Amino acid sequence: MRLDRYFPILDWGRHYTGTTLTSDLVAAIIVTVMLIPQSLAYAMLAGLPPVVGLYASILPLVAYALFGTSRTLAVGPVAVVSLMTGAAAGTVAAAGSADYIAAALILATLSGLFLLAMGLMRMGFLANLLSHPVVSGFITASGIIIATSQLKHILGIEASGHAMPELLFGLWTNIGQINGPTVAIGIASLLFLFWVRQGFKPLLVRVGFAERPADLLAKAGPVFAVIATIAAVVLFELEDSGVDTVGIIPTGLPPLGAPLFDPDLWLALAIPALLISIIGFVESVSIAQTLAAKRRQRISPDQELVGLGAANIAAGFSGGYPVTGGFARSVVNFDAGAETPAAGAFTAIGIAVAALLLTPLLQALPVATLAATIIVAVLSLVDFKTPVTTWRYSKADFSAMAITIAGTLLLGVETGVIAGVALSLALFLWRSSRPHAAIIGRVPNTEHFRNVKRHTVITLPHVLMIRVDGSLTYLNARWLEDYVLGHVADRPELKHFVLMCSAVNEIDASALESLEAINRRLADADVEFHLSEVKGPVMDRLKSSHFLDMLTGDIFLSQDRAFRELARRNGDADVPSADTDPNGPRGLI
Amino acid sequence: MRLDRYFPILDWGRHYTGTTLTSDLVAAIIVTVMLIPQSLAYAMLAGLPPVVGLYASILPLVAYALFGTSRTLAVGPVAVVSLMTGAAAGTVAAAGSADYIAAALILATLSGLFLLAMGLMRMGFLANLLSHPVVSGFITASGIIIATSQLKHILGIEASGHAMPELLFGLWTNIGQINGPTVAIGIASLLFLFWVRQGFKPLLVRVGFAERPADLLAKAGPVFAVIATIAAVVLFELEDSGVDTVGIIPTGLPPLGAPLFDPDLWLALAIPALLISIIGFVESVSIAQTLAAKRRQRISPDQELVGLGAANIAAGFSGGYPVTGGFARSVVNFDAGAETPAAGAFTAIGIAVAALLLTPLLQALPVATLAATIIVAVLSLVDFKTPVTTWRYSKADFSAMAITIAGTLLLGVETGVIAGVALSLALFLWRSSRPHAAIIGRVPNTEHFRNVKRHTVITLPHVLMIRVDGSLTYLNARWLEDYVLGHVADRPELKHFVLMCSAVNEIDASALESLEAINRRLADADVEFHLSEVKGPVMDRLKSSHFLDMLTGDIFLSQDRAFRELARRNGDADVPSADTDPNGPRGLI
C-alpha cells in the first residue's frame, strides 16, 4: 500500500489496456506538436539556448509519469518559471555563458530537491504561504514583464533586464536599431496567433471539421506560424536582412551528467530555487486539481511534490532547466483524451524524436516568431479583473496583491513574491493577534447570548461575560490579557467575570499562562474568574495543567447556567432559577 | 487627549502632591542603593566598563519617566539584555575596546529606534511572535549562560564566550590559574547573598524591625557584601595577591553625544538590536502589567514601546547601553511605595550623585563580589519546572521551548531566539493550515448537529454535511478543497453538500477562490453546494462578491433547516418537515 502511494504507476499501470494506449498516444502526438515551439520559446525567455527547452521536455516528463498523481498534467518548461530561472541565473552569470547554463541546471536540481524534501516530509502546507492574491498578482506582473521582455525580439533590437524599469529603459535607448523585416515577421506572427485563438476554430468547423478535432487543430496554431516564418526566412534569405534566427540547434539526445557542484553557487541560488519550486508547485497543483475534479479523480498534493521534484531533478541531470505543469498544455492533453501519465512519457518520446530529427529544420526559425508565441501565451496570464474584485472583497487581500504586483514589476520577481508573502503573513498574524470578541448578554426569554452592541440583551451589573471567537494562542494571549483586564478596570462594581469558550478550539501554553495571569490579577482585584462552554478536548488539556486548581471561579457547562448561577449568587431575583432549566441538569454546575 | 496619550506625565503630573513626593522619594532612595552594585555588575556582564552601567541608569530613567505608562516599573540595565548586548558587540569588536563601547551605544540607539517605531506604528503585536515557551526557555538558558560566564570571576581565571561550549572549554583549560583570595571573596559573597535572600529578613524581624522595613533592608543585602569586600581588599591589600578589582571609575556625569554613525556597523547590529528590543519589551511589559494589575491600574503596551524606546535612545546618547524594566528592582520600587514615574527620575538623580561622589570609594570593589551578585540574581531566572509542565500540557509548545534552550545554550542567544520563534511560527501555521473539521449528523429529536464519529446521529445518504471549526483563510484554503473534494469523491451517490459555517469568522479572498473552485468542481460532479449558518459580517462580504450568484445550492439560516429541506427534496419521509420548526420561519430558507 505504501509503495502504491509513492509509485502511482503501480496503481494505474495495473489497469492499462489497448484502448488506454490509443487514447494516450493520440494525446501525446498533439501535445508534442504544441510543445516543440513552446519549449524552444521558453528556453529563449529564460536566456538559455533553445535546445535546453527540448531537453527539459524529455526526461522530466518520464520522471513525472512515474511519480506524479495527476492523470493529465503536462509537465515541461512554462513561462513564469522560465522568467524566474532567467532572473536567478542572471544574478550569478552572464546570459548565454556556460556558467549561466550551469546555474539553470543547479536551479532545476535544487528546486527538485526542495520539492522532493517537502513531499517526503509532508510539508506541502508551506505552499499555503502563497495566498491566492499573491499568486494571482505575481502571475499578472510576470505576464507583463515577459511580454515586455519579448518586444525586443519583435523589434529586432538589443535590451535586457528582469524588471520593468530596466526593460523599458533598454527598449527606449535602442529603439533606433529597429529592424524592418523582423518587425514584419513579428507583427504578422502576433496577428496570426491572436486570430488563431479566436477565429481558427470557427473557420475549421465551417469548412466541415468536427468540434473536437477543430479545437485541437486550433490549439496547434503556433506550428503553422513556425512553418510559415521558416519558409519566409529561407525563401527571402531574410537572415541577410538582419532577421535573427534560432540558429544551429545541436542534434541528439540530452547529455546526462550531474550538475556542477559549487557550494557557494548552490547557496546563492537556494532562495530563488525555493521560490521557483513553490510557485511551480502552486500553479501545477491547481491545474492538476481542476482537471482531476472534472473526472472525479483525486490527486495527492504531497505526492505531487514528489512527482515534480523527480521531474526537476531529472531536468538538472539531463541538460534541462526548472519545469512544472503548464496550463494550456495540460488542457490540450486532457481534451485530446489522455487517460494516464503514460501520455506524458509518450510526449517525451515525441520530443526526443524531434531533438534527433527535426532540429536542422528549425535552424531558420525567426526568434521574432518565438517571441510572438510567448507574448500571445502570456497575455492570457495578465488579469486586471481579479485586482478589482479583490479590492471590492477585501482591502487586506488587495494590499497583498498590490505589493506583489508593484514589487515584481519594479524590483523583480523574487522581491515581488517575498514582499507579497511577507505582507500576507504579517496581516494574518495581525488578525490572529486580535480575534473578534464581544461582551455578551442574554437574549430575553431564551438561552441565547449575544453581543451587547448588536442586540437588546440582559446583563448583570456584577457580572462581565465575554465571548472570544477564536482559539487562544500565543499570538493573541497578550491581547486577551489587555482586553479582559481593560474591561475589568473600567468596572469597579464587578464581582464575576465569565469567559465563554464556545469558539475556542485550542488553548496553547502561552494562552494558558495568560489565563493564569488573568486569574491572578482578577483575584488581586477581588473578581472571580469563570469559564463556560469549554470544549471537550480543550477541557482535557486544561485538566493536565494546574490551572483548574488555582481558578478562583467555576467551569459552567453552558453560558446560561453561568448566567443564572451568578445572578442567584448576587440575589438578582428577576432571573429564572436553575430549576427551570428545560434541558435538565447537565453537570455539576 | 492625544497629547495625554503620548505624554503620560500630563496625566499623573496633574495630581502630584506632597504625599506622592514623599512616597516617590523614599522608593527612589531604596532603589538607588540596590541599583548601584547592579548597574556595575551588569555592565561588567556585558563586557563594558562598570561606569557604563551607571550612565545607563541616569538619563534612560528620566526618559522613561516622561513617556512610560507604568507607575512603578524601574528601568535600567538587566541581566539578559546585558548578555545579549555583549554577544552582539562581541561579533563586531574585541571586548573592552573603544569599538566595543561604540557598538553598545549603537545597539541602545537602534533598539530605541525600533521600539519607538513599533510604538508609533502600533506594531506591538509583533512582540507576540515570542511565545511564552520561547521566552521562558530563553530566560532559563540565558540564566545558565550568565551564571557560567561569571564563574571565571569567582575563580579569578581568564575565559570568554557567549555560548556554553566555549565557556566550559575556557574554564576547563584555564582552571590552573585559580586564585585563592579571589575564590575566598567570591564564595563568601555567594554564601552571604544566598543567605540574605532567605535568612536576613527573618533575622531583622526577630531583632525588632517591622515587616516592611525588614523586607526592604533585606533587598539591599548586596550593598553589605559590597562594603564588606571593599573593606577586606583595602585592609588586607588583596589587590597585591591577585584579586581583581573594579579599578578607577571615572567621576562625573554621563558624556552626551551622538553614537558613531557607521552604516555597515548599524546594519550588522540591526538584527541583534531588534531581538534586544523585543525581548526587553516582552519582559518589561509583563512586569509592568503584573504590578499595574495589583493596584487596578492600566498600562498601554503601545505607549510602553515609546517609553522604552525613549529610554534606549537616551542611553545611546549618554554613554549607556540597552536598558529595560528589571523585575527585582521594579518589585522593590513597588513595595517601597513608589506612586508615579517620578520615583524613576529621583532614582536617576541618586545614581547621578553616586557617579559624581561615590565612584572613588568603589575602586577597590572586587570583581568577584559583582560576579556573585550576578550569579545569585540570575539563578532565580533559571526555571526547570516550566519545561516539565509545558511538556505535560503541549508537546508542540515544549518543542519550541526545547529548541530555544538548546539553541541558546549551544549556539548563542540570537540563534536560540530565532530558532524558537521560527519553530513556534511554523507550528502555528501548520495548525492554521488544517483546522478541526467534522462530518456532522443530526442528534435525534433535537436541532443539534454533531460529529458523526463521536455521537449517534442521523445522516442522509445523498447529503454530506461538514462543519469547519475555524475561519477560512489562505492558509487552509487548499486544505478545504482537498478535504471537501476528497469526501465527495468517496461517495458517488452524493447529491448535496452543506458547509456549516457557524465557526467561520472570516473568509478571505483565497478561501473565497477555493469555495468557488469547490462549487465549480461539485457542479462538474452534479453535486449541489449549500452553506448554512453563515455569520452576518461574513455574509455581507460574500454579497460583495459574485460567489452567491454562481453558488449551485442555497444558503440556509440554520443547519436544521438545511437538513430538513434537503431531506424533503430527496423524499426522505422520516424527517420532520419544515412546518414543525418550533422557532418559526427565520428567512427564505
Side-chain angles (χ1 to χ4, degrees):
Chain A
M1 281 312 286
R2 269 187 77 80
L3 216 58
D4 257 42
R5 211 178 72 191
Y6 290 112
F7 297 93
I9 191 173
L10 296 179
D11 179 31
W12 58 261
R14 218 179 298 145
H15 313 287
Y16 209 79
T17 65
T19 332
T20 329
L21 176 67
T22 316
S23 308
D24 284 348
L25 274 177
V26 171
I29 291 167
I30 295 171
V31 173
T32 303
V33 170
M34 183 179 182
L35 188 50
I36 293 173
Q38 270 194 3
S39 59
L40 300 173
Y42 290 145
M44 189 182 82
L45 167 59
L48 293 163
V51 74
V52 173
L54 291 177
Y55 295 162
S57 309
I58 302 176
L59 283 190
L61 277 65
V62 177
Y64 182 82
L66 288 175
F67 297 101
T69 57
S70 166
R71 299 289 178 99
T72 46
L73 190 73
V75 168
V78 304
V80 172
V81 165
S82 299
L83 175 71
M84 296 178 81
T85 301
T91 61
V92 299
S97 66
D99 282 354
Y100 189 92
I101 298 174
L105 290 174
I106 293 172
L107 281 168
T109 312
L110 263 175
S111 73
L113 292 173
F114 282 132
L115 288 163
L116 196 61
M118 285 196 281
L120 296 178
M121 295 162 74
R122 320 242 131 222
M123 303 262 282
F125 79 96
L126 282 180
N128 294 340
L129 288 175
L130 288 178
S131 67
H132 187 267
V134 169
V135 173
S136 158
F138 178 69
I139 300 288
T140 288
S142 297
I144 294 172
I145 292 179
I146 293 170
T148 310
S149 75
Q150 297 308 305
L151 281 181
K152 63 179 177 194
H153 296 306
I154 299 283
L155 300 173
I157 64 181
E158 298 282 317
S160 67
H162 298 286
M164 288 301 277
E166 277 177 281
L167 284 170
L168 293 175
F169 181 76
L171 288 175
W172 175 253
T173 48
N174 297 327
I175 197 79
Q177 305 164 4
I178 203 163
N179 178 276
T182 305
V183 173
I185 289 180
I187 301 284
S189 300
L190 272 179
L191 291 176
F192 172 75
L193 291 170
F194 276 119
W195 172 78
V196 155
R197 299 214 136 201
Q198 306 284 329
F200 195 31
K201 188 185 151 193
L203 182 75
L204 290 171
V205 172
R206 233 175 304 135
V207 301
F209 276 86
E211 182 81 9
R212 230 175 111 234
D215 196 36
L216 294 172
L217 209 53
K219 292 258 164 63
V223 172
F224 301 109
V226 167
I227 295 169
T229 54
I230 290 176
V233 168
V234 173
L235 285 178
F236 306 113
E237 293 180 344
L238 291 178
E239 278 174 306
D240 302 336
S241 319
V243 171
D244 211 8
T245 60
V246 164
I248 296 171
I249 302 174
T251 296
L253 291 174
L256 296 182
L260 178 71
F261 189 72
D262 171 346
D264 287 342
L265 202 53
W266 284 55
L267 207 62
L269 295 172
I271 297 285
L274 185 65
L275 293 176
I276 286 173
S277 57
I278 295 185
I279 294 267
F281 170 66
V282 167
E283 280 300 276
S284 185
V285 116
S286 101
I287 299 163
Q289 264 170 338
T290 304
L291 297 179
K294 282 189 201 274
R295 294 194 189 151
R296 276 213 189 194
Q297 292 167 345
R298 292 175 72 168
I299 62 153
S300 150
D302 279 322
Q303 181 61 23
E304 276 303 283
L305 286 163
V306 175
L308 291 174
N312 276 290
I313 293 171
F317 280 76
S318 66
Y321 75 105
V323 295
T324 193
F327 181 67
R329 196 180 308 158
S330 300
V331 171
V332 168
N333 196 35
F334 182 93
D335 287 346
E339 285 187 27
T340 76
F346 299 147
T347 304
I349 295 171
I351 300 284
V353 170
L356 283 172
L357 306 178
L358 288 186
T359 48
L361 304 179
L362 294 169
Q363 188 175 337
L365 174 61
V367 169
T369 309
L370 290 181
T373 64
I374 295 177
I375 291 177
V376 173
V378 298
L379 282 186
S380 67
L381 301 178
V382 177
D383 170 10
F384 292 125
K385 228 181 72 195
T386 303
V388 175
T389 56
T390 306
W391 164 263
R392 223 177 283 141
Y393 186 73
S394 156
K395 301 296 174 281
D397 279 309
F398 176 80
S399 66
M401 183 184 274
I403 206 167
T404 308
I405 294 178
T408 305
L409 289 180
L410 301 176
L411 303 169
V413 283
E414 282 165 32
T415 317
V417 175
I418 291 172
V421 168
L423 182 62
S424 303
L425 189 58
L427 289 171
F428 177 77
L429 294 177
W430 189 81
R431 283 199 303 271
S432 301
S433 74
R434 42 189 69 214
H436 183 256
I439 299 180
I440 51 173
R442 188 194 219 188
V443 180
N445 303 319
T446 71
E447 286 182 30
H448 297 297
F449 288 78
R450 294 279 184 277
N451 192 341
V452 294
K453 286 194 191 148
R454 295 202 190 169
H455 298 82
T456 313
V457 291
I458 303 168
T459 57
L460 302 171
H462 303 290
V463 182
L464 174 66
M465 303 183 291
I466 285 177
R467 188 194 68 221
V468 178
D469 293 336
S471 286
L472 304 178
T473 68
Y474 75 105
L475 290 175
N476 58 37
R478 256 180 287 270
W479 162 87
L480 183 70
E481 288 182 48
D482 291 348
Y483 185 83
V484 170
L485 297 175
H487 281 292
V488 170
D490 290 345
R491 294 177 54 173
E493 76 286 3
L494 215 60
K495 291 274 162 245
H496 300 282
F497 166 64
V498 186
L499 184 67
M500 180 175 174
C501 300
S502 53
V504 175
N505 294 307
E506 197 207 342
I507 298 178
D508 75 4
S510 304
L512 180 70
E513 190 77 17
S514 287
L515 290 179
E516 287 172 1
I518 290 170
N519 185 55
R520 245 183 345 258
R521 291 173 193 168
L522 290 182
D524 287 343
D526 277 329
V527 175
E528 283 184 29
F529 183 14
H530 312 274
L531 300 177
S532 78
E533 308 203 0
V534 181
K535 295 192 176 189
V538 175
M539 193 65 191
D540 292 345
R541 271 271 194 92
L542 288 181
K543 280 181 184 156
S544 77
S545 76
H546 295 296
F547 176 65
L548 299 183
D549 305 335
M550 60 178 74
L551 186 67
T552 55
D554 298 304
I555 311 254
F556 293 96
L557 280 181
S558 79
Q559 182 60 28
D560 191 52
R561 281 175 170 261
F563 184 79
R564 282 179 287 126
E565 171 64 18
L566 297 177
R568 195 187 56 70
R569 286 193 204 166
N570 276 315
D572 293 314
D574 55 335
V575 172
S577 86
D579 300 335
T580 65
D581 182 353
N583 295 316
R586 273 181 285 186
L588 188 60
I589 289 181
Chain B
M1 281 313 287
R2 270 188 77 80
L3 215 60
D4 258 44
R5 208 179 74 190
Y6 290 112
F7 297 94
I9 191 173
L10 297 178
D11 178 33
W12 58 262
R14 219 179 295 145
H15 313 287
Y16 209 79
T17 65
T19 332
T20 330
L21 177 66
T22 317
S23 307
D24 284 349
L25 274 177
V26 171
I29 291 167
I30 295 170
V31 173
T32 304
V33 171
M34 182 179 181
L35 188 51
I36 294 171
Q38 270 195 1
S39 59
L40 300 173
Y42 290 145
M44 191 181 82
L45 165 59
L48 293 163
V51 73
V52 173
L54 292 177
Y55 296 161
S57 310
I58 302 177
L59 284 190
L61 277 65
V62 177
Y64 181 80
L66 289 174
F67 297 101
T69 57
S70 166
R71 299 290 179 98
T72 46
L73 190 74
V75 168
V78 306
V80 172
V81 166
S82 300
L83 174 71
M84 296 179 81
T85 301
T91 60
V92 297
S97 67
D99 283 353
Y100 189 92
I101 299 174
L105 290 174
I106 293 171
L107 282 168
T109 312
L110 263 175
S111 72
L113 291 173
F114 282 132
L115 288 163
L116 197 61
M118 285 196 281
L120 296 178
M121 293 162 73
R122 319 243 132 224
M123 303 262 282
F125 79 96
L126 282 180
N128 295 341
L129 289 175
L130 289 177
S131 67
H132 188 266
V134 169
V135 173
S136 161
F138 178 69
I139 300 287
T140 288
S142 297
I144 295 172
I145 292 178
I146 294 170
T148 311
S149 75
Q150 297 308 304
L151 282 181
K152 62 179 176 193
H153 296 307
I154 300 282
L155 301 172
I157 64 181
E158 298 283 318
S160 66
H162 298 285
M164 290 301 278
E166 280 178 280
L167 284 170
L168 293 175
F169 181 76
L171 288 175
W172 174 253
T173 47
N174 296 325
I175 196 79
Q177 304 164 4
I178 203 162
N179 177 275
T182 304
V183 173
I185 288 179
I187 302 284
S189 298
L190 273 178
L191 292 175
F192 173 75
L193 290 169
F194 277 120
W195 171 78
V196 154
R197 300 214 135 199
Q198 306 284 331
F200 196 31
K201 186 185 152 191
L203 182 75
L204 289 170
V205 171
R206 234 176 300 134
V207 300
F209 277 85
E211 182 81 9
R212 228 173 115 238
D215 196 35
L216 294 172
L217 209 55
K219 292 256 163 65
V223 172
F224 301 110
V226 166
I227 294 169
T229 53
I230 290 176
V233 168
V234 173
L235 284 176
F236 305 114
E237 293 178 344
L238 292 178
E239 280 175 303
D240 301 338
S241 317
V243 171
D244 211 7
T245 60
V246 165
I248 296 170
I249 301 175
T251 296
L253 291 174
L256 297 182
L260 178 72
F261 189 72
D262 171 347
D264 287 341
L265 203 53
W266 284 56
L267 207 63
L269 295 171
I271 297 286
L274 185 66
L275 292 176
I276 286 172
S277 58
I278 294 186
I279 293 267
F281 170 67
V282 168
E283 279 300 274
S284 186
V285 117
S286 99
I287 299 164
Q289 263 171 338
T290 305
L291 297 178
K294 281 189 202 274
R295 293 192 188 153
R296 278 215 186 192
Q297 292 166 346
R298 291 175 73 168
I299 62 153
S300 149
D302 279 321
Q303 181 60 23
E304 277 302 283
L305 285 163
V306 175
L308 292 173
N312 276 293
I313 292 172
F317 281 76
S318 66
Y321 75 104
V323 295
T324 192
F327 181 67
R329 196 181 308 159
S330 300
V331 170
V332 168
N333 196 34
F334 182 92
D335 287 346
E339 286 186 25
T340 76
F346 300 148
T347 304
I349 295 172
I351 300 285
V353 170
L356 282 172
L357 306 176
L358 290 185
T359 48
L361 304 177
L362 295 169
Q363 190 177 334
L365 173 61
V367 168
T369 310
L370 291 181
T373 64
I374 293 177
I375 290 175
V376 173
V378 299
L379 283 186
S380 67
L381 301 178
V382 176
D383 170 8
F384 292 124
K385 228 182 71 195
T386 302
V388 175
T389 56
T390 305
W391 165 262
R392 222 177 284 141
Y393 186 72
S394 155
K395 303 294 176 277
D397 279 309
F398 176 80
S399 67
M401 184 183 273
I403 205 168
T404 308
I405 295 178
T408 306
L409 288 179
L410 301 176
L411 303 169
V413 283
E414 283 165 33
T415 317
V417 173
I418 291 172
V421 167
L423 182 61
S424 303
L425 190 58
L427 289 171
F428 177 76
L429 294 177
W430 190 81
R431 284 199 303 270
S432 301
S433 73
R434 43 188 69 214
H436 183 255
I439 298 180
I440 51 173
R442 187 195 220 186
V443 180
N445 302 317
T446 72
E447 288 182 28
H448 297 296
F449 287 77
R450 294 279 184 278
N451 191 340
V452 294
K453 287 196 189 146
R454 294 200 190 172
H455 299 82
T456 312
V457 290
I458 305 169
T459 56
L460 302 171
H462 303 289
V463 182
L464 174 66
M465 303 181 291
I466 285 179
R467 188 193 68 222
V468 178
D469 293 338
S471 286
L472 304 179
T473 68
Y474 75 105
L475 290 174
N476 57 38
R478 255 178 288 270
W479 161 88
L480 183 70
E481 288 181 48
D482 291 347
Y483 185 83
V484 170
L485 298 174
H487 281 291
V488 170
D490 291 344
R491 294 176 54 174
E493 76 285 5
L494 215 60
K495 290 277 163 246
H496 299 280
F497 166 64
V498 186
L499 184 67
M500 181 177 173
C501 301
S502 52
V504 175
N505 295 305
E506 199 207 341
I507 297 178
D508 75 6
S510 304
L512 180 69
E513 189 75 19
S514 287
L515 291 180
E516 287 172 1
I518 290 170
N519 185 56
R520 242 181 351 256
R521 291 173 196 170
L522 290 183
D524 286 344
D526 276 326
V527 176
E528 282 184 32
F529 182 16
H530 311 274
L531 301 177
S532 77
E533 308 203 0
V534 181
K535 293 192 177 190
V538 174
M539 194 63 192
D540 292 344
R541 270 270 194 92
L542 288 182
K543 280 182 185 155
S544 76
S545 76
H546 296 296
F547 176 65
L548 299 184
D549 304 335
M550 60 178 73
L551 185 67
T552 53
D554 298 304
I555 311 255
F556 293 96
L557 280 180
S558 78
Q559 182 60 29
D560 191 51
R561 279 174 171 263
F563 184 79
R564 280 179 289 127
E565 172 64 18
L566 298 177
R568 195 188 55 72
R569 289 193 202 165
N570 275 316
D572 294 315
D574 56 336
V575 172
S577 86
D579 299 335
T580 65
D581 183 351
N583 296 314
R586 273 180 285 185
L588 187 61
I589 290 180

